[in-house]
Amino acid sequence: MMGIKGDDARRTFLVFSLQCCSNPLNRIHISSEDEARVKKLISDGMLPEEGFEQRFREAYPFCSIIAAELGKGSIDLEVVEKYFYYQHNYTLDHDLKEGLTFRDSVDCKVYPGRIISMDGRSADVLTPVGTLKCDRQFVMDLPKDTMVAVHRGVIAKQITPEDFHRMEMMHRLGKRSKSKG
Amino acid sequence: MCQGFIGKVKSSEKGLLVVEYKGKYVELRSNLQVSQGDYVLFASGIALDKVDKEEALAVLGASK
């Protein structure tokens, strides 16, 4: 199986995926203890053992497919960002349109946002769907006004202004195509 | 896509799978080596990975 290349790519994959440990298929491979252990490692700036990412049975194969389509022999940061910033929400919308949903399909989306205030481990983030109260355990050093990506109530990471605007645009386009039915 | 769906393969031909998911037939693009009766994880019209029968039944049973 294809591996994830580089600490940045591994960290990015994990800060988005760790919110999905409790999904039934992932939970078979990732215990609650492992989930807590790896969240602590990431918060402390470390990474878990090589190959841990392969236990995420949904995101990992999807990233492998994107890497193969791009002609890459491994999953790198570009692939991970393509998946979580763009493909992830497209997939959710596609499946919702086909009548395929799971418990929290809508809450699962990734949003671009801007940190507007912080209080201990939480932060208010202004996103296209309003202000979200988010956990900032993975990004405690980021100051107010930083552009970030949010996934399931957690600030995953800082994003560039280019990605922020592109993600915001994708969100608007998605909303428009839905309102046109 | 935090959570894919698990379907049972009904037919497999030239990169195209038909799987059954909750009584519905779904067409998927696929590069997987699978046969009729196997279980696959899918999302967005793509077969992502083969899933062991025991895991598939555990997940499908839990989602009923």
Side-chain angles (χ1 to χ4, degrees):
Chain A
M1 191 180 274
M2 205 177 256
I4 300 192
K5 189 173 137 196
D7 287 356
D8 273 1
R10 292 192 67 209
R11 182 182 166 80
T12 299
F13 182 93
L14 288 166
V15 292
F16 282 101
S17 299
L18 282 166
Q19 281 69 259
C20 305
C21 291
S22 62
N23 293 344
L25 188 57
N26 286 341
R27 187 53 92 203
I28 292 173
H29 300 271
I30 305 166
S31 65
S32 302
E33 292 74 24
D34 271 336
E35 176 184 350
R37 173 178 67 86
V38 175
K39 280 183 175 168
K40 173 85 171 63
L41 280 174
I42 298 286
S43 299
D44 292 343
M46 292 184 274
L47 288 167
E49 61 278 15
E50 286 281 339
F52 184 83
E53 300 88 328
Q54 294 179 16
R55 300 197 205 176
F56 290 92
R57 292 298 312 280
E58 285 107 4
Y60 195 86
F62 219 128
C63 285
S64 300
I65 288 170
I66 293 172
E69 283 183 357
L70 293 175
K72 296 178 185 244
S74 59
I75 298 166
D76 61 12
L77 185 61
E78 182 193 5
V79 170
V80 175
E81 289 184 346
K82 262 188 201 305
Y83 173 65
F84 283 106
Y85 293 0
Y86 305 107
Q87 181 66 46
H88 179 277
N89 288 2
Y90 170 82
T91 298
L92 279 169
D93 285 340
H94 175 280
D95 288 341
L96 279 169
K97 218 183 287 176
E98 297 289 316
L100 299 168
T101 57
F102 51 89
R103 186 169 33 95
D104 49 3
S105 290
V106 176
D107 294 342
C108 172
K109 283 195 166 183
V110 173
Y111 295 112
R114 194 185 289 268
I115 298 174
I116 52 174
S117 66
M118 294 169 290
D119 181 15
R121 223 182 84 167
S122 81
D124 285 334
V125 180
L126 183 61
T127 75
V129 290
T131 302
L132 302 177
K133 180 77 71 193
C134 296
D135 186 323
R136 63 184 191 108
Q137 66 169 311
F138 299 140
V139 293
M140 291 297 282
D141 55 334
L142 293 183
K144 195 173 158 235
D145 287 331
T146 305
M147 292 173 183
V148 292
V150 170
H151 184 218
R152 282 188 163 181
V154 173
I155 301 176
K157 69 177 289 192
Q158 182 174 6
I159 56 176
T160 64
E162 291 75 25
D163 280 320
F164 178 91
H165 294 303
R166 215 173 294 150
M167 289 164 81
E168 206 179 29
M169 183 65 74
M170 295 284 284
H171 178 78
R172 281 201 212 124
L173 289 171
K175 252 173 86 175
R176 195 175 306 157
S177 69
K178 255 178 255 165
S179 65
K180 281 182 179 173
Chain B
M1 201 281 298
C2 300
Q3 183 171 326
F5 305 93
I6 293 179
K8 189 174 186 179
V9 176
K10 291 304 195 186
S11 68
S12 169
E13 200 179 330
K14 289 179 189 164
L16 194 72
L17 291 185
V18 176
V19 301
E20 185 182 1
Y21 173 75
K22 292 191 173 175
K24 283 201 294 194
Y25 288 96
V26 184
E27 277 191 8
L28 306 173
R29 279 196 295 129
S30 169
N31 288 324
L32 303 175
Q33 298 293 317
V34 291
S35 317
Q36 194 178 347
D38 285 340
Y39 289 88
V40 296
L41 178 71
F42 71 95
S44 193
I46 303 168
L48 300 173
D49 207 357
K50 190 173 169 179
V51 180
D52 289 345
K53 186 178 177 183
E54 284 145 39
E55 287 186 6
L57 294 179
V59 172
L60 290 169
S63 69
K64 271 182 188 166

